[in-house]
Amino acid sequence: MTQPNEKRGKESTKFDLKKVPARVDRVKVSGLLRTHNDYVMKAAENLFKAKNFQEVMLESMHAKSYLHELGIFKDVSVHIDVSRGENASSDGYEVTFKGKELSRIVGSVGTEVGQNEGSLRTELTIPNLFGRGESISLQGSYSSKRANDIQLKFWKSFFHTKYMENRPEISISLFRHLDRFNVSKFQNTNFGCIAEFAVNTLQPLQLTHSLQYEASIRELALLQKNVPMAIREHCGPKLASLLRYSVIFDQRDNPVFPTQGLMIKSINEYCGLGGNVAYISNSTHGEISIPLFGGLVAQLCGRLGVIKETKKTTVLPLSNLFYCGGPLTLRGFEFGGAGPVVDGTPIGAQTYWSTGLHLWAPLPFNKVFKGLANNFRTHLFYNVGNFNTFSSENIRSAAGIGLAFKLAERARIELNYCIPIRKCVGDKVNNGFQFGIGYEFV
């Protein structure tokens, strides 16, 4: 028989770590082979401010996360030990971070999701090129449906500076991008370079900013022989020089199936700093989600696109026009099926807008399958949209019901049964099941 005293001896004693005085005397980061010491010094700043053992542990975990985000380590472990030596304080500790740097060359092969397409993606990266987080990568992606890319990119983050909370980063890229517009019977090839500066701001709102300068040669080529003259006259190489500014405000609790929060994304371009392509464009996407009851979520989405001529030219590039219709913009219509048509061939519009009202619900048996069912949602939807006008004349609309599946933590797949409600002569509708894959749906 176990005696009461033995039971009490086996019970663990609870300590309030806040009441245990502690300070950090020394911080050491081991495993630095190519990395300069000054690149990791900021990890120790808050550790020296700790006044008790709980703060030491919490700040050690924060420092570990910080070292991971520098992008130079494959793995980082933390060791806390009593401080030793002549200068050791009575309640002092030594914190050691043991890191394993990434290999000199890192490769990956996988798939990525675009807007209504998937592609095979390969990448070779040389991380931490000069010892302070500089990296260079060669990326390539192939899609049998629409877009192919190859890109050589050099980038450097300034996460180790006093502006770490703003996450500033600069990059320079050489790229070749091939985009096939099968519905309009042409393809567009871009070859050029992009210089980018990205930063986050915290006040008065948390925003993600990106400012890019692009200089590229754009060449439009035909995919078929029977192509309207309105498209043929755009063939040939052209030089584009433009500034692109994008800003994102995102307070959603989940990027794929949000239950609450607001997201607004705006991309603005001014082309005409040189070359023979000129335009001004804006594309804005927004969505707001409101929780109801029983797991139901109401969601309102909207998208607006506008492109205008400048004084330098009256001809707009076809590849920058907006296509209205498809599972990502206006369900119940084919891609480009609710836009302007020339000689039976859809082409993009200078202005388009679309909105979507959704009622999202979990699967009825989600509690049975638990984790698996959390990747699925059902929804009722109603889409409205139009092009080249903001009036209600010739408006298009569709409604339906569908099942959505979360793909990783960024994209989703939808299988919807669509019923077009309002359409116009010449529209290409999809009355029945429609499949969509992407990361921004209306």
Side-chain angles (χ1 to χ4, degrees):
M1 176 178 280
T2 304
Q3 297 298 323
N5 290 338
E6 293 181 4
K7 280 187 177 182
R8 284 194 295 270
K10 292 181 180 180
E11 290 180 356
S12 59
T13 306
K14 294 183 179 180
F15 293 98
D16 186 356
L17 297 181
K18 290 183 179 179
K19 297 180 180 180
V20 179
R23 55 167 291 176
V24 176
D25 290 339
R26 181 185 299 176
V27 176
K28 181 181 179 181
V29 180
S30 63
L32 299 180
L33 301 177
R34 306 189 306 274
T35 307
H36 296 283
N37 291 335
D38 61 336
Y39 190 63
V40 298
M41 286 179 59
K42 200 168 185 63
E45 280 189 357
N46 291 330
L47 276 168
F48 290 115
K49 300 177 183 178
K51 298 179 180 179
N52 56 64
F53 196 74
Q54 178 171 298
E55 291 182 359
V56 171
M57 294 182 64
L58 291 175
E59 293 301 335
S60 297
M61 292 300 102
H62 292 159
K64 178 182 177 181
S65 298
Y66 170 83
L67 291 173
H68 268 299
E69 292 187 54
L70 288 177
I72 60 175
F73 291 113
K74 184 178 181 180
D75 186 38
V76 179
S77 60
V78 185
H79 299 269
I80 303 175
D81 199 359
V82 176
S83 182
R84 295 180 176 87
E86 295 181 0
N87 299 323
S89 55
S90 59
D91 54 357
Y93 291 86
E94 295 180 0
V95 181
T96 303
F97 297 93
K98 295 184 178 181
K100 184 178 180 180
E101 287 189 348
L102 293 169
S103 303
R104 290 188 178 274
I105 299 179
V106 179
S108 65
V109 178
T111 58
E112 65 179 6
V113 176
Q115 290 294 71
N116 210 34
E117 66 173 346
S119 60
L120 175 66
R121 180 175 180 272
T122 61
E123 181 177 1
L124 285 176
T125 303
I126 303 177
N128 202 20
L129 190 61
F130 303 121
R132 290 187 174 89
E134 307 87 355
S135 300
I136 188 169
S137 68
L138 179 63
Q139 306 170 10
S141 64
Y142 173 78
S143 169
S144 60
K145 185 176 181 181
R146 185 175 174 187
N148 298 319
D149 292 283
I150 185 168
Q151 178 180 246
L152 179 65
K153 181 179 179 180
F154 170 84
W155 74 94
K156 176 177 174 56
S157 68
F158 294 88
F159 190 52
H160 63 293
T161 67
K162 63 180 180 179
Y163 304 105
M164 58 174 292
E165 292 184 352
N166 301 104
R167 299 179 181 272
E169 181 178 292
I170 60 172
S171 65
I172 300 175
S173 306
L174 297 176
F175 70 93
R176 180 185 180 273
H177 177 78
L178 174 65
D179 205 355
R180 290 188 297 272
F181 295 80
N182 295 322
V183 68
S184 298
K185 305 174 184 178
F186 73 85
Q187 69 178 22
N188 191 71
T189 304
N190 282 11
F191 176 79
C193 63
I194 294 178
E196 179 181 14
F197 172 69
V199 68
N200 295 346
T201 56
L202 305 178
Q203 299 293 337
L205 298 174
Q206 293 186 8
L207 302 173
T208 301
H209 306 265
S210 171
L211 180 63
Q212 297 180 342
Y213 170 75
E214 176 183 326
S216 61
I217 298 174
R218 303 179 176 184
E219 184 171 7
L220 188 143
L222 304 179
L223 295 176
Q224 299 180 17
K225 293 182 178 180
N226 56 336
V227 179
M229 185 56 66
I231 296 177
R232 289 178 177 272
E233 61 187 14
H234 288 265
C235 290
K238 292 180 174 61
L239 178 62
S241 177
L242 63 95
L243 282 175
R244 181 184 297 114
Y245 170 69
S246 64
V247 59
I248 302 174
F249 173 75
D250 194 349
Q251 285 190 328
R252 298 172 298 175
D253 57 353
N254 187 284
V256 183
F257 292 137
T259 60
Q260 61 182 2
L262 171 68
M263 190 277 284
I264 299 176
K265 176 182 178 180
S266 180
I267 302 175
N268 306 274
E269 292 185 2
Y270 174 77
C271 183
L273 301 175
N276 51 0
V277 179
Y279 62 86
I280 299 175
S281 71
N282 169 268
S283 178
T284 301
H285 175 89
E287 58 183 63
I288 183 171
S289 302
I290 302 174
L292 299 178
F293 55 88
L296 296 177
V297 177
Q299 185 182 62
L300 177 64
C301 303
R303 189 175 298 171
L304 170 68
V306 179
I307 182 170
K308 294 293 184 182
E309 305 92 344
T310 67
K311 295 180 180 179
K312 296 183 179 182
T313 181
T314 58
V315 180
L316 295 173
L318 289 183
S319 59
N320 287 89
L321 299 180
F322 302 100
Y323 285 81
C324 188
L328 276 68
T329 57
L330 190 58
R331 297 171 182 83
F333 293 82
E334 296 183 6
F335 177 74
V341 177
V342 175
D343 297 335
T345 301
I347 62 172
Q350 294 188 34
T351 303
Y352 95 111
W353 61 271
S354 60
T355 60
L357 180 62
H358 303 258
L359 181 62
W360 292 95
L363 294 179
F365 45 84
N366 66 317
K367 293 183 179 180
V368 178
F369 293 95
K370 296 181 179 179
L372 178 63
N374 291 333
N375 295 319
F376 290 86
R377 292 290 189 278
T378 59
H379 71 138
L380 298 171
F381 64 86
Y382 179 69
N383 281 132
V384 180
N386 210 345
F387 68 93
N388 289 343
T389 179
F390 292 100
S391 68
S392 59
E393 184 180 358
N394 296 329
I395 201 170
R396 279 81 167 173
S397 64
I401 186 172
L403 177 68
F405 171 71
K406 181 169 66 173
L407 197 61
E409 291 297 329
R410 186 168 181 260
R412 73 173 185 250
I413 298 174
E414 287 189 3
L415 180 61
N416 300 311
Y417 188 85
C418 309
I419 303 174
I421 298 175
R422 295 188 63 179
K423 57 184 179 179
C424 298
V425 178
D427 288 350
K428 296 182 179 181
V429 300
N430 191 327
N431 193 344
F433 287 102
Q434 187 176 42
F435 175 84
I437 179 173
Y439 52 88
E440 283 182 359
F441 289 79
V442 177

